[in-house]
Every structure is written in C-alpha cells, then in structure tokens.
Amino acid sequence: MLSIVYAVLFYVATILLVVGTGMKILKYARTPAPLKIPVSPAPRTRRGVWMRMGREVLFFQSLFKSNRWIWIFGMLFHWGMLLVLLRHLRYFTQPVWWWVELIQPIGVYASFAMVLGLGGLLFRRIFVNRIRYISDPSDYLMLLLIIGIAVTGMGMKFVMPVDIVAIKVFFLGLMRFQINELPMNIGVLLHLGMVAFLMIIFPISKLIHAPGLFFAPSRTQVDNAREFRHLSAWASQLPPLPEGIPKDEKG
Amino acid sequence: MKRLFASFLILIGLMGMASAGEIKSSLAPVVPKAAGEAHPEGNEFMRINHMKLMVHDRDDTVLLGDRNVKYSLKECVACHAVMGPDARPVSVKSDQHFCRTCHEFAAVKIDCFQCHNSLPDADLVKKLTMLPQKDRELAAYLKEVTE
C-alpha cells in the first residue's frame, strides 16, 4: 500500500523534475541577451569561454574570488554530493558499472564532506548578521532539506542498516513499470520522501541555478566586441530604414 | 490528528511485518538455498544485519579471546556452500558463490575472503548437512542432466 504511494510519488516527482527543469531551460535559452555584457576580465575567444565556464562549473572561480569561506563550504558540499549521487547509481543499474563499484567507499567518506559543507553554510546563514538579514525561509528550507536527506542516508549506512537489496529491487522495478515492495523502515521512508520533495521543488527553487549558470551572458559571452560588430538576432532582422531618414547621425 | 498519526504508524508496522521474508520479484538476485536449518531470526534480518553479527563476533574473538561465539564465518560458508558444475563447492572467485549473488547486486565489496577461506570445511559441511557425499554427487548429476 505505502509502496504504491511511494511508487506514484516517484513517478510524479520524476515527471515534474524533468518537465519543470526542461521548461526552465527552454525559457532561459529563449530569453534574449541583446547586449555584449561579459564580466571582465573576459576571454576573447570561444575556446577561452569554454575554459572560463569549466573553471566556473568545476571550481566556482568567481566565488573563490569573492568569498573564501562560502567557497570552501560550497566546494565541500557540491563535490561531496556529486560523489554521493554517483554512488547511488548502484540502485539503478544492473549489472552495476565497474567505476560505480570502484567509488563506493569514496562516496561514503564524501557524505561527511557534504554534511560538513552544508553545516557551514547553515551556520553562516544563522550567525553572520548581514547574511541572516537577507536569508529567506526558502534558503533555510533548501539547506535543511538536503541536510535531512544526507543525515538519514548516513543513518542507514552507519547506524541502522536497511535491506538495500529490496530497495534496489523496488527502484529497478520502477524503471520497468512494475511496483515491488519497498522495505517499511522509517529511515528509508524519510530519506526517499525528502528526496521526492526535493525533486518536485527543484525547478521552482533556487537550486535551478545548476542549469541557470550555463545561460548567464556575463559568463558565457566572448569579449570580442572590438573585433566584430555585435548585432543581436532581432536587430539583424529589422527591415531597412525608409527613405528620408538619415542612416547616421553626426555628433 | 493524533489518532490519524497513530493509525499511520500502525499501518507502517503492519506492512513491515507483511514484507518480512523473501523479496518477490524477478529482478531480485537468485539466492542459492543453504544446506542446513533456516535462521531463526529470519532471512530479512540476516540480509540487513549479517555483517554486524560477524564483526561483533570478530571483536569478541580477537579482542576478548572468546572463541565460543554464536556466529562464525566458517559455519556461514559451510552451510551456504554452492556446488559448481564439478559437484564441488565453489570459492568466492566464482560468481555462483553465495555471498557474491547479493554483494554484486548491491556493489558491496567483500573483505572477508582476503584472509578467510571461502571454501567450506568438509567435516563441518558433513556435520551441518548430514548429507553423504554420494547424495551430493547424485544431486549435482541430476542438476546437470536437467539443465
């Protein structure tokens, strides 16, 4: 019964996550960026932009330059979460990919880095006055939600083990449109419930910064306005000016 | 509201009881049958806690010198021996090995057999299963014939 509830919950959450994020990406892609506004110092070639985006995505370069503490906690959290997420691929692949098997133990340690980073970010929101002043309830919600997911996950690893074989059967089943029994364990239910909630609110939360970063014109534009005349797409499609209007204005 | 919450908890408890035991799905790994008696704690308990039992007993034996522990890896291996095509027990090198069926499914590495023997102790197998060698050979032969 509750297995069915969770199965439906995950189908709905997956659809909302994929469609919602897809719609947001489409919206970002269609939003015009008519002006050349790369933040300097900006690369002057396309290749340079790729390098800049690489540094930005992998190492949070601009955050490093602006705030070292947030950078440390952010790096700990994001890289920790990446390893933890990759470790979870074992629940969705059969046979498990060799490199997923290889990083299993690393993912366990990464969970500590993840919680440490999140804890630091939460501490900052609560105890740095000017950060607390600009913090919204949703800022706290995201942090607490991801901390909750991480802590329940670690609880199932270190304190109260659960039947992971049955859990994998449940998720392999979902991917084949069959509903198997989910172990009725409070840790499993809390962990998965929070994950589904996070998936649902992802497209309408601040977490959408993940795909959003790739559409930031101040980072993705090439600084070549001196070499080439910049003409936005809509401007190049304007009809020619009618007779009698001077093309150039002097002065 | 309180009553609703209580009934929700009871519901979870009931379903927990209903699900105890085997995983019924074609997607689950095929776990080989053991030779001896079933665990009184139930298979689900063993799936979840076998490593705790083994590590706990290891600590009892190694740190406290107690050799009369309840669970022993030797007995696990003896009772859960899987016969290969040559009617002899397979080692952990074979993917038929009892431990590997689930451990591979869950991508969990087994450290035990870096030191311990994954092959059953012949005397212990006889003691635990009371199945004469001849019968086992016959069983393996029949299995081969039917396959």
Side-chain angles (χ1 to χ4, degrees), chain A residues 90 94 104 161 163 168 173 181, chain B residues 19 25 27 47-48 105-107:
Chain A
R90 66 175 172 160
Q94 178 58 28
Q104 290 300 315
D163 191 349
K168 176 161 179 178
E181 219 150 304
Chain B
S19 71
S25 169
L27 295 168
R47 266 205 304 280
I48 297 172
F105 187 74

Side-chain angles (χ1 to χ4, degrees), chain B residues 62-134:
Chain B
V62 177
L63 302 179
L64 305 176
D66 179 6
R67 293 211 153 264
N68 268 326
V69 292
K70 191 174 165 202
Y71 303 91
S72 85
L73 183 61
K74 225 171 158 182
E75 280 180 31
C76 303
V77 166
C79 206
H80 286 287
V82 177
M83 298 304 154
D86 57 351
R88 298 163 69 98
V90 296
S91 80
V92 79
K93 288 199 183 90
S94 156
D95 55 10
Q96 307 267 297
H97 192 269
F98 177 83
C99 301
R100 277 185 65 179
T101 49
C102 284
H103 271 258
E104 232 143 77
F105 187 74
V108 182
K109 207 169 147 235
I110 315 171
D111 296 331
C112 309
F113 303 119
Q114 288 173 1
C115 304
H116 291 280
N117 194 350
S118 66
L119 287 168
D121 183 283
D123 293 339
L124 197 56
V125 175
K126 254 180 219 157
K127 208 181 97 193
L128 286 170
T129 62
M130 301 289 181
L131 201 69
Q133 177 69 18
K134 225 176 179 179

